[in-house]
């Protein structure tokens, strides 16, 4: 015999995971291009890095690319990604209404 279990939330609203203040702070930090840099590695590749929000002299590596142009494009994509995350913290964006 098979049993089916189902859970529901009140008001039919799905539960959203809570986003901590620390996470929001990091997203805002990463959404600004001034917190990023590109360094050249001994093997000729270019590495993108972002600055630690608390420690100015600490950097975290993110990606490696063959050209500076590709590395900057990767940074631009990351900045855009985090800007969207910060924008959506305000709530859903209305994209179309009907009459």
């Amino acid at each position: 015999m098979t049993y089916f279990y189902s859970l529901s939330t009140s008001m039919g609203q799905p539960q959203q995971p809570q986003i901590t203040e620390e996470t929001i702070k990091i997203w805002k930090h990463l959404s600004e291009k001034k917190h990023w840099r590109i360094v050249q590695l001994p093997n000729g590749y270019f590495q993108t890095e972002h600055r630690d929000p608390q420690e100015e002299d600490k950097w975290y590596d993110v990606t490696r690319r063959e050209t500076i142009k590709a590395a900057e494009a990767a940074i631009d994509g990351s900045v855009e990604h985090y800007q969207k995350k910060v924008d959506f913290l305000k709530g859903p964006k209305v994209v179309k209404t009907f009459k």
Side-chain angles (χ1 to χ4, degrees):
M1 181 175 277
T2 304
Y3 292 97
F4 177 75
Y5 292 96
S6 175
L7 298 174
S8 64
T9 60
S10 62
M11 305 283 290
Q13 299 279 336
Q15 292 288 338
Q16 292 287 352
Q18 292 297 321
I19 300 170
T20 65
E21 287 298 319
E22 183 64 24
T23 299
I24 293 169
K25 182 180 172 185
I26 291 170
W27 288 353
K28 287 180 179 180
H29 178 79
L30 295 175
S31 70
E32 296 181 44
K33 196 170 181 177
K34 68 181 182 180
H35 299 293
W36 293 82
R37 73 178 183 183
I38 300 170
V39 297
Q40 187 170 18
L41 301 174
N43 63 3
Y45 279 78
F46 298 92
Q47 180 169 278
T48 64
E49 301 177 340
H50 68 81
R51 181 178 301 169
D52 187 288
Q54 282 83 30
E55 297 180 44
E56 291 291 315
D57 295 335
K58 190 171 184 181
W59 293 85
Y60 295 101
D61 59 314
V62 181
T63 63
R64 292 188 178 114
R65 299 288 188 258
E66 289 187 25
T67 65
I68 291 177
K69 187 175 181 179
E72 188 164 1
I75 289 173
D76 291 340
S78 295
V79 167
E80 183 180 333
H81 170 77
Y82 287 107
Q83 285 172 343
K84 286 179 183 177
K85 285 181 153 305
V86 171
D87 286 344
F88 278 101
L89 290 172
K90 301 170 191 166
K93 190 185 305 185
V94 177
V95 293
K96 188 172 185 177
T97 57
F98 301 93
K99 293 186 179 194

